[in-house]
Structures are given as structure tokens and as C-alpha cells.
Amino acid sequence: MSKNKVLNLKDKIDGNEMDLSLCNLTEVPVKELAAFPKVTVLDLSCNNITSLPMEFCSLSHLVKVDLSKNLMTVLPDDLGRLGNLQHLDLYNNKLTILPVSFSQLKNLKWLDLKDNPLEINLAKAAGDCLDEKQCKQCAARVLQHMRILQDEVDKEREWRLLKDKELEKKKETKQREREAKEKEVRKRDKAEEKERKRKEYKAHMAALAIQEQKNKRKEEKKKRNGQIAADKKAAAESAPKAQRRSLIGLLFKLLLLGLAGVVGVCQLTGLKEEAVCVPINVAVDDCLSWVREQEVDVRVRELVEEVDIRARELLQKLSSLVPQLLGPLGVVPTAMEPVEN
């Protein structure tokens, strides 16, 4: 309210009473009323008030309140906070019920609820309020009725709280069970994943081992094939050489045999005086003389002597074969002469 209206409220005060009746009010000026804590009697009758604001319940200094002949349909839930209230006039309003907190008005001694569309049980408890005695009885009976309702509400609240706790407990239990199941599922999935990875690893290692064995066998086969090819190539390369060596050796042997035969014929037969054998005999004699004259190592000399002995044996054998070879030719060999060392 404005400052002028505050001043007007002061004009409405008479001692500890404030008369705001017939002021055509639709709302209760709670903030302004709170500025006058010494006012304990408040008359708000004969206005157009439809409800009381929650802040009205903070005016705990009020002892007597007259709200008769207004348009109120409900009272604030915290009305029980008016702990000092002793006299309450609610005559001729539109109330059907009272807030449960009404039971907390322990100092209430006087109550008028006439001409309100009260619900049946509350109307029976209220009764008439035609005189002081009936209004006091109305206050006592309504308080008793509201206390019963308060107990029921408290029990209902406790039951609801218990149900809520049980429900919450069930929810927590279900939540723990769900979490346990989820944990078990995660654990199982983790174990299965680990087992799968282990199998994959074993399969991978087995595949690597098989591949390594295959590579090893291929390498060994390749080496064997290479070795076989090399052996074949070496054999192919060495065969002509061996054949050549064998042929050369054979030719050399035949040449030596031929030379020995020629020397034997020229030395041991009557052909040694022939013109063909004279140079051969001279060359043989010069060679033997040269070897005798040389100062060579004992080993070389022994080798030469061994060769000489082998040559004499060969010549002796040839001497026995010469008549057989020359007989068909018509040549008569002469007597063999001893070969000089």
C-alpha cells in the first residue's frame, strides 16, 4: 500500500485493535499489518476477500480475527502458525473444509462457522454458534475433529512415507540386481571376448607356424632341387672332362706304349742297325747318359733307378712279344742284347 494508505491504517488503530471492516478490500494488506505488531485484534469483516495470502500466517501476534461476511473459499495451509489466536470468526463465507494445520491452534477458544457450505462431518463437529457457549464448544469440537483428521493425515503420511521407503528400497534392490546382472553380463562378455581373442591368437600362431613350416619345406625343397640341379650340372660338366681326361690318358698310354714298343724294337731286334732306328737308339743312349752324369738328389736318383728298372722289365716283356708281332710280317729278330744301365 502507498504511504497515505499506511497513514490511514494508523487512523484505523484504536489501542490494540485495527478496524478494516467495510473497506471494500479484496486482499489483506499483510506487509502493512506486519508493521503494527502491537495490534492483536483485527477486524476484516464485510469485505470482498476471497483468500488469505500465505504471509498472513506470519502475523502470529494476532489474538482475535474477524473475517465474517467475506468470499473466502479456502484458508492457507499454514494457518496453524497463528499460535496465539484465540478468537476466529468465519461466519458467512464459502468454506467447505479447513486446513489440517487448524488443529495446531491450541489456544483457540471461540469459533464461528455458521453459514458456510461445510462438508458433512465438519458441519456436525461445528454445530451451532448462537451464543458464547456454543461458539466455545464449536471451537473445542472443531479442534478435536481436526486433530483426528491430523492424526489420520499423519498416519497417511507415515504410511505413504513407509510405502515410499519400501518402494525406494525395492527400486534400490532392483537397481542393485540390475547392476549385478549388468556387471555379470559385462564380466561374461569380457571373458568371452578374452577367450575369443585367445583363440584367434592361437589360430594366428598356428597359421604362422604352418606357414613357417611350409616356407621351410619350400626352402628345403628349393635347396634340394638346387643341389640336385647343381649336382646334375656338375656331373654334366665333369662328365666331358672325365671323358676327355680318360681319353687323353688312354691316348697318352697308347703313345707311351707305342714309344716303348718302338724303342724296344729298335733296341732289342735286328732292326737297330736300320736307318729308322739309329736316331731313336742314339736319343735313348744320350738321355740315359745325361741322367747318369747329373748330380741329382738321392730321391731323384732312386726314382730314376726305379724308372730304369721298370723300363727294363717292360723291355723284357716287349722282347717276348716282338717275335710274335714280327712273325706274321716275315721279319726274323736277332738275339736280344743286354740293356746297359
Side-chain angles (χ1 to χ4, degrees):
M1 296 178 68
S2 64
K3 184 176 180 180
N4 291 331
K5 289 185 178 182
V6 171
L7 293 176
N8 290 335
L9 284 180
K10 288 183 178 181
D11 295 338
K12 300 291 184 179
I13 296 175
D14 182 11
N16 64 336
E17 297 181 9
M18 179 180 290
D19 186 3
L20 295 178
S21 62
L22 301 172
C23 291
N24 200 25
L25 297 176
T26 57
E27 295 180 355
V28 179
V30 176
K31 292 182 180 180
E32 289 74 12
L33 292 174
F36 304 98
K38 293 182 179 181
V39 174
T40 59
V41 178
L42 177 63
D43 187 357
L44 292 169
S45 63
C46 302
N47 284 293
N48 297 316
I49 301 172
T50 57
S51 63
L52 297 177
M54 293 296 296
E55 293 79 8
F56 183 82
C57 300
S58 64
L59 303 177
S60 59
H61 57 278
L62 294 177
V63 175
K64 182 178 179 180
V65 176
D66 187 355
L67 288 166
S68 61
K69 297 181 181 180
N70 276 284
L71 303 174
M72 292 187 301
T73 57
V74 293
L75 296 176
D77 292 336
D78 290 343
L79 189 66
R81 293 171 58 190
L82 300 175
N84 293 317
L85 188 62
Q86 299 178 13
H87 185 111
L88 178 60
D89 192 347
L90 296 173
Y91 167 73
N92 194 12
N93 277 276
K94 298 181 181 300
L95 299 172
T96 57
I97 60 173
L98 298 177
V100 179
S101 65
F102 197 91
S103 63
Q104 299 174 12
L105 301 175
K106 297 179 181 181
N107 293 317
L108 187 65
K109 307 298 182 181
W110 194 96
L111 177 63
D112 188 357
L113 289 173
K114 293 190 309 296
D115 292 339
N116 280 282
L118 301 175
E119 59 94 14
I120 296 176
N121 293 330
L122 179 58
K124 288 180 180 181
D128 292 330
C129 183
L130 300 176
D131 54 28
E132 186 75 13
K133 182 179 180 180
Q134 287 182 346
C135 292
K136 288 182 178 180
Q137 290 176 351
C138 176
R141 287 193 300 267
V142 169
L143 286 176
Q144 182 65 27
H145 175 74
M146 297 308 299
R147 289 191 185 102
I148 294 173
L149 293 180
Q150 181 68 55
D151 291 340
E152 292 178 356
V153 170
D154 292 341
K155 289 180 180 179
E156 180 69 20
R157 185 183 297 110
E158 291 178 0
W159 179 83
R160 190 177 295 108
L161 290 174
L162 182 61
K163 289 294 183 181
D164 292 341
K165 287 182 179 179
E166 290 178 355
L167 182 61
E168 185 66 24
K169 188 176 181 180
K170 289 181 180 179
K171 289 182 179 179
E172 292 178 356
T173 302
K174 289 182 179 180
Q175 180 67 20
R176 286 195 296 267
E177 292 176 354
R178 183 167 56 253
E179 291 176 355
K181 289 181 180 179
E182 292 176 354
K183 185 177 180 181
E184 186 65 24
V185 171
R186 289 195 299 269
K187 185 178 180 181
R188 184 173 63 253
D189 293 342
K190 187 176 180 180
E192 291 177 355
E193 180 68 15
K194 186 176 181 181
E195 181 65 17
R196 183 184 64 79
K197 289 183 178 180
R198 186 182 67 81
K199 289 181 179 180
E200 290 179 355
Y201 176 76
K202 289 180 67 176
H204 178 68
M205 296 303 296
L208 289 179
I210 293 173
Q211 186 63 33
E212 185 177 358
Q213 290 179 357
K214 288 182 179 179
N215 294 337
K216 188 175 181 180
R217 286 196 294 269
K218 288 182 180 179
E219 189 66 24
E220 291 177 353
K221 185 177 181 181
K222 185 177 179 181
K223 288 182 180 179
R224 287 197 301 270
N225 294 337
Q227 186 64 34
I228 293 173
D231 293 343
K232 288 182 179 180
K233 183 177 180 181
E237 292 177 353
S238 62
K241 293 181 180 179
Q243 292 177 358
R244 288 195 298 271
R245 286 196 298 269
S246 178
L247 181 60
I248 292 171
L250 179 60
L251 293 174
F252 183 71
K253 289 179 180 180
L254 292 175
L255 180 60
L256 289 178
L257 183 60
L259 290 175
V262 172
V263 171
V265 169
C266 292
Q267 287 283 331
L268 302 175
T269 66
L271 298 177
K272 64 181 180 178
E273 299 299 334
E274 296 294 331
V276 176
C277 293
V278 171
I280 295 173
N281 292 332
V282 173
V284 171
D285 293 339
D286 291 342
C287 182
L288 293 175
S289 297
W290 179 82
V291 170
R292 294 189 190 96
E293 292 174 357
Q294 297 300 318
E295 295 181 358
V296 295
D297 187 76
V298 176
R299 294 180 181 177
V300 177
R301 185 178 296 278
E302 291 177 353
L303 179 60
V304 172
E305 292 177 355
E306 180 69 21
V307 171
D308 184 49
I309 293 171
R310 299 300 179 189
R312 288 170 62 83
E313 292 176 354
L314 179 60
L315 291 176
Q316 290 294 333
K317 292 180 180 179
L318 289 174
S319 65
S320 62
L321 295 174
V322 167
Q324 299 177 5
L325 295 173
L326 297 179
L329 298 176
V331 179
V332 179
T334 59
M336 298 289 289
E337 295 181 359
V339 179
E340 297 180 356
N341 290 331

